[in-house]
Amino acid sequence: RKYGGTGLGLAVSKRLSEMMGGSMWVESEGIPGRGATFHFTILAAPAPELQTRAHASGVQPDLQGKRVLLVDDNATNRRIVTLQTQSWGMQLSATGSPREALAWLQQGEAFDLAFLDMNMPELNGLELAAAIRKLQTGRAALPLILLSSLGNNLDEAEASLFAASLIKPIRPSALYDAVMGIITAQAVGTRPASAPARATLDLTMASRHPLHILLAEDNAVNQKLALRFLAQMGYRADLASNGLEAVQAVERQSYDVILMDVQMPEMDGLEATRVICSRWAAGERPRIIAMTANAMQGDREACLQAGMDDYISKPIRVEELVRALENTGSTENTEEH
């Protein structure tokens, strides 16, 4: 973000601990540089004994000696995957350069599977996967696992490039399940089991339900994710980085809907909504949909009291976004949408 923390994490943590029968407090001398200690308590029933998962028990006979290619420009992520796969007895070749990985494959190096990060310089994960598939025309396809911090939001063609996808930060259990699923499938000559069905985006939604959309969001990652969702539905949205810019955008032109983040610098989403509601009558202003991580009881009411018309929680879920947009009436002039 472009400004300091809002304390949202602390507020949520305090309310969670109180909901679980505990409390949270801070001890501090009040002297800059001396630090502070935060404490919390909860009440919880003891968990039943759990059997040790296979992913935590060292060398795995089914994985030992298997060759793995890892392409990720983040050194910390490479170290995490390297240490975990090597603990299972796998042989890993890691690089932060997609072009170096392609060079290894062009030189004839063989791998049993490959991990590809989604966001990288030179080539992103999708582009690298397509290049690998083109390079391997006529040969057995190298199983690819996509690593992404934005979740699995691929269309059908993109998803077909990968045997599996994992969301960062990567849990050892998820990593183990993905790797073992691929290696087992190779052993019996089948494809890995498909992932559970997920909500899909309607690629024709913008044509059948045209809308002029403004996205008010200051976080670059959230901007990218929301714009990607909208683009896959055929929408082209304008962007505002804070509440003040959102108000100015509405002054310049009309919108059918505003996707309004609540926590923003200069002017937050609640204040921006109040300003818009005070300047434009209900039939003249856009429908305002709140987007917030404040998914606690009472937060929805605060958004609605400020004048917002609807509410979706972050991280954004496809089905919630589609529902909110479908509840928005379109304008008559749709040529520019």
Side-chain angles (χ1 to χ4, degrees), residues 164-194:
S165 62
L166 298 175
I167 299 176
K168 296 179 179 178
I170 301 169
R171 295 178 292 112
S173 58
L175 184 67
Y176 176 86
D177 291 342
V179 172
M180 186 60 76
I182 290 173
I183 298 301
T184 301
Q186 288 177 329
V188 298
T190 62
R191 292 179 58 86
S194 300

Side-chain angles (χ1 to χ4, degrees), residues 96-125:
S97 168
R99 299 199 184 281
E100 183 177 28
L102 284 174
W104 290 346
L105 293 170
Q106 289 170 339
Q107 293 165 8
E109 292 202 38
F111 298 95
D112 294 291
L113 61 93
F115 294 97
L116 310 182
D117 183 38
M118 181 59 175
N119 296 304
M120 296 184 291
E122 301 178 359
L123 299 170
N124 64 32

Side-chain angles (χ1 to χ4, degrees), residues 1 3 216-218 241-244 246-247 258-277 288-292 302-308:
R1 291 183 178 270
Y3 65 108
E217 168 67 68
D218 68 303
S241 296
N242 56 56
L244 183 59
V247 173
I258 303 177
L259 298 174
M260 183 83 78
D261 183 33
V262 171
Q263 297 287 342
M264 292 187 290
E266 299 189 48
M267 181 185 289
D268 65 27
L270 296 177
E271 181 60 27
T273 299
R274 295 187 189 101
V275 172
I276 292 173
C277 290
I288 302 176
I289 301 173
M291 300 189 304
T292 177
C303 292
L304 298 179
Q305 288 173 4
M308 294 178 170

Side-chain angles (χ1 to χ4, degrees), residues 198-217:
R198 60 181 179 87
T200 57
L201 292 167
D202 182 352
L203 303 182
T204 65
M205 185 169 176
S207 60
R208 64 176 177 79
H209 189 61
L211 295 170
H212 196 187
I213 300 173
L214 174 66
L215 171 65
E217 168 67 68

Side-chain angles (χ1 to χ4, degrees), residues 2-197:
K2 299 178 181 178
Y3 65 108
T6 62
L8 173 61
L10 181 60
V12 171
S13 298
K14 181 175 184 294
R15 292 172 67 175
L16 284 173
S17 63
E18 291 171 348
M19 290 169 67
M20 291 186 280
S23 61
M24 175 173 281
W25 68 97
V26 60
E27 296 177 356
S28 174
E29 298 179 29
I31 302 175
R34 296 293 289 271
T37 303
F38 290 82
H39 305 263
F40 75 91
T41 61
I42 64 170
L43 292 176
E49 282 193 35
L50 301 176
Q51 294 182 347
T52 302
R53 285 289 302 272
H55 64 76
S57 58
V59 174
Q60 302 295 302
D62 292 333
L63 303 181
Q64 189 170 13
K66 299 295 184 181
R67 295 204 62 197
V68 182
L69 171 63
L70 168 63
V71 191
D72 193 325
D73 62 307
N74 185 288
T76 300
N77 293 335
R78 290 200 304 272
R79 178 175 174 79
I80 291 171
V81 177
T82 297
L83 291 176
Q84 189 63 71
T85 53
Q86 287 181 344
S87 73
W88 297 329
M90 306 183 80
Q91 299 176 9
L92 185 134
S93 297
T95 177
S97 168
R99 299 199 184 281
E100 183 177 28
L102 284 174
W104 290 346
L105 293 170
Q106 289 170 339
Q107 293 165 8
E109 292 202 38
F111 298 95
D112 294 291
L113 61 93
F115 294 97
L116 310 182
D117 183 38
M118 181 59 175
N119 296 304
M120 296 184 291
E122 301 178 359
L123 299 170
N124 64 32
L126 292 175
E127 294 167 337
L128 178 55
I132 291 174
R133 289 287 176 258
K134 185 177 180 180
L135 182 64
Q136 294 190 314
T137 301
R139 287 184 281 171
L142 173 65
L144 307 176
I145 298 177
L146 180 66
L147 309 179
S148 173
S149 57
L150 296 179
N152 182 9
N153 302 309
L154 308 179
D155 59 33
E156 186 174 349
E158 293 170 340
S160 67
L161 294 170
F162 300 95
S165 62
L166 298 175
I167 299 176
K168 296 179 179 178
I170 301 169
R171 295 178 292 112
S173 58
L175 184 67
Y176 176 86
D177 291 342
V179 172
M180 186 60 76
I182 290 173
I183 298 301
T184 301
Q186 288 177 329
V188 298
T190 62
R191 292 179 58 86
S194 300

